Amino acid sequence: MKTINRAVRSPGGLSIRLDVRAFVVVLLLLAAALTASVVLIGTGDFPIPAADVLRTLFGQGNEGQEFIVNELRLPRVLVGLLVGASLGLGGALFQSISRNPLGSPDVLGLGQGATAGALTMIVLFSGDANQVALGALVGGLVTGLAIYVLAWKRGVHGYRLVLVGIGVSAIVTAVNGYLLTKSDIVDAARAVVWMTGSLDGRDWDQVWPLLGLCAVLVPLALCNARGLRMMEMGDDVSYALGVRVERVRLLLMVAAVLLTASATAAAGPVSFVALTAPQLARRLTRSPGPNLLPSLCMGAALLVTADWLSQRAFGAEQLPVGVVTGVLGGVYLLWLLVTERRAGRI
């Protein structure tokens, strides 16, 4: 399918450029994410057919199905969709701002910063689940602020942002190792489970805060997509086209940090989704620019599919979803390196 751009005009005279291929990709990814979600809700010790899952979601199931679907499994799936969407969108924002496919939260150290905040609450304060989530959110925000300040030099530019992020990531990783050595065996085991990244035991308490943040941050990011696309041509060109570069960059970096930190707070540091989702979305759409909405949908589809694989293969408590995404992400990186080498780019 070739990339086809069409102008859609509203009765009021508003004109919107529509990339037909990207639109189709978004619809297919949404369908894949929703299909995987229905299958995932029906998976478990008490399997439920997909048709019964749909009937239960529309209020026509029996009492047992209503309890299993609405109280036990639906919150976990919603957290998976929201976490995947947040990581996919956050990764697309960082990669576009840095103009580097490696400029994702995994590489820049935001996940490690959130982990440091969570470990602080677990090891030093023996915090409960809500306090650990708050610590992860604060740790991610502090790390993002530190990276921005250290990378600032008459503006924030791509390679400097990535290099500073790698340095901060190394420092925070060392801090995390120190915190683990200072904890007792119970807290250390609890911390290691959280650091793996898992959706096990997630309920409505994790859904609502994450949904509220996404309801604010996703429209904010999408509304600034045009400015972000202009910025990929360079700051000088963007200024000439009327884009307030530093304002847009700071606003979108804050949004990306909040998305990543809140996702980590809800499910732990789920690896590689923020790195791979934007690149896979770009290859499907074959469209230049940040591809924010396709990356969001790709992240959601990837995470719920990985969670289904983890439950189907080993059981929900035996293989956390972070292990599956790590394996899939590692395979993707190896494939990418081989492809780039054959093309003579590395």
Side-chain angles (χ1 to χ4, degrees):
M1 183 189 296
K2 295 182 179 180
T3 301
I4 302 175
N5 294 324
R6 292 182 178 176
V8 179
R9 296 184 181 275
S10 67
L14 178 64
S15 178
I16 301 174
R17 188 180 64 85
L18 177 65
D19 187 331
V20 177
R21 183 186 178 96
F23 181 72
V24 172
V25 168
V26 167
L27 291 181
L28 292 176
L29 288 174
L30 281 175
L34 293 176
T35 301
S37 299
V38 171
V39 174
L40 180 57
I41 290 174
T43 301
D45 294 334
F46 185 81
I48 303 175
D52 290 341
V53 170
L54 291 174
R55 279 195 291 268
T56 304
L57 290 175
F58 286 102
Q60 298 177 0
N62 58 45
E63 289 187 7
Q65 291 173 338
E66 294 249 348
F67 175 75
I68 292 173
V69 171
N70 295 327
E71 298 299 325
L72 298 181
R73 297 180 182 173
L74 180 59
R76 174 186 177 129
V77 172
L78 290 177
V79 171
L81 288 171
L82 291 170
V83 167
S86 299
L87 292 175
L89 180 56
L93 289 171
F94 272 116
Q95 290 179 21
S96 182
I97 290 171
S98 64
R99 297 199 285 274
N100 191 319
L102 293 178
S104 77
D106 297 318
V107 177
L108 296 179
L110 294 176
Q112 290 84 347
T115 300
L119 286 179
T120 300
M121 298 306 298
I122 293 173
V123 174
L124 301 183
F125 301 102
S126 299
D128 57 23
N130 292 329
Q131 292 170 332
V132 171
L134 179 61
L137 183 61
V138 173
L141 291 175
V142 170
T143 304
L145 177 62
I147 293 172
Y148 186 85
V149 171
L150 292 173
W152 175 269
K153 184 179 180 182
R154 295 191 296 274
V156 175
H157 301 283
Y159 283 106
R160 187 161 63 243
L161 181 68
V162 173
L163 290 174
V164 170
I166 291 173
V168 170
S169 175
I171 294 172
V172 178
T173 299
V175 172
N176 292 341
Y178 172 76
L179 288 173
L180 283 176
T181 62
K182 299 297 291 184
S183 61
D184 58 40
I185 188 64
V186 175
D187 287 339
R190 181 184 170 199
V192 169
V193 170
W194 188 90
M195 290 169 63
T196 305
S198 174
L199 297 175
D200 187 41
R202 299 305 184 264
D203 56 25
W204 292 104
D205 290 338
Q206 284 82 39
V207 173
W208 298 121
L210 192 56
L211 181 61
L213 279 172
C214 287
V216 175
L217 297 175
V218 171
L220 176 66
L222 296 180
C223 288
N224 286 276
R226 179 181 177 275
L228 186 61
R229 183 168 183 171
M230 297 297 179
M231 287 163 54
E232 290 188 342
M233 296 186 292
D235 289 1
D236 293 338
V237 175
S238 302
Y239 277 121
L241 293 173
V243 178
R244 301 175 65 180
V245 174
E246 288 306 323
R247 178 180 178 275
V248 172
R249 182 179 287 130
L250 177 60
L251 185 67
L252 292 180
M253 280 194 65
V254 170
V257 169
L258 283 171
L259 285 167
T260 304
S262 60
T264 305
V270 180
S271 59
F272 282 111
V273 174
L275 178 66
T276 58
Q279 295 302 311
L280 292 176
R282 185 185 294 261
R283 281 165 171 73
L284 288 177
T285 62
R286 298 180 186 174
S287 175
N291 286 284
L292 298 184
L293 192 56
S295 299
L296 181 152
C297 298
M298 176 62 77
L302 279 177
L303 194 56
V304 292
T305 303
D307 194 33
W308 176 79
L309 286 173
S310 71
Q311 292 194 48
R312 190 72 177 176
F314 298 97
E317 296 182 357
Q318 297 183 26
L319 189 63
V321 67
V323 176
V324 178
T325 59
V327 171
L328 295 177
V331 172
Y332 167 77
L333 278 179
L334 290 175
W335 172 82
L336 181 61
L337 289 172
V338 171
T339 302
E340 293 291 307
R341 184 175 181 180
R342 286 179 178 175
R345 288 188 284 266
I346 60 174

